[in-house]
Amino acid sequence: MEFKLDGPVLEGDLVRLEPLGHHHASDLAKAAEEDRSPYRFTWVPSADEVGDYIDQQLERRAQGTMAPYAQIDLVSGRAVGATAFWDPRKLPDRGLYAVEVGFTWLAASAQGTGLNAEAKLLLFRHAFDGFGVERVDLKTDARNARSRAAIEAAGAKFEGVLRNWSRSWAPGEDGRLRDSAMFSVIRPDWPETEAALEKRLARIRERRAFAL
């Protein structure tokens, strides 16, 4: 059977990843406008661009290159960001062997809460155990120190910087190319990465319980 990149609902204790749709637009518009200062190098729509943003992601889904998600904060029940599986890579004699986790952003109020860590755990787990890949790719603008730190904290290994690798999303840089910092988790890494993420999330849950 031909593989189709199609992401199911993935739910943890802090976040639920739902296939992205226009019913998430209102929440995402509010989330994107909370504080835009962390988005210097990341493609995050403004409130009035959310509809077009969702259309573009759904077009990529229709083309089979992306499975876009809304990130739902389980405490508030609101969509507070987005993420995606995308760029599936296949070999004729093996089928799917790699997929990227990307197009990730969170509202300022959701950053540092554990939602990103749990979302990565859910995505990585489905990639390895559901899709059966050998490798998960992640990348970011090489200048984006905050994003690079978050990717490394999720357990991905830094592989280097590819110069002029893809378009820049930085304001004022339309038409320019960026250097991309490349990261990965491969199947031999996965048991250790999974255990480290689960341990990190256990500490976050303990802190949240103590604060109640």
Side-chain angles (χ1 to χ4, degrees), residues 3-70:
F3 171 80
K4 180 182 179 182
L5 185 63
D6 189 16
V9 173
L10 302 173
E11 184 163 340
D13 296 324
L14 308 176
V15 66
R16 181 173 63 253
L17 303 181
E18 296 179 354
L20 181 66
H22 280 284
H23 57 290
H24 298 117
S26 178
D27 283 350
L28 292 179
K30 294 173 184 175
E33 294 297 336
E34 283 187 7
D35 175 7
R36 297 189 61 84
S37 61
Y39 304 148
R40 182 181 173 193
F41 301 111
T42 305
W43 181 36
V44 179
S46 60
D48 60 354
E49 295 170 337
V50 165
D52 288 341
Y53 168 86
I54 294 174
D55 284 339
Q56 290 178 53
Q57 301 299 67
L58 295 182
E59 176 61 25
R60 291 182 172 96
R61 182 170 71 186
Q63 294 169 355
T65 60
M66 176 179 285
Y69 283 106

Side-chain angles (χ1 to χ4, degrees), residues 70-89:
Q71 301 199 57
I72 311 299
D73 177 0
L74 290 179
V75 172
S76 68
R78 296 188 301 108
V80 294
T83 191
F85 288 119
W86 82 294
D87 193 23
R89 300 204 306 282

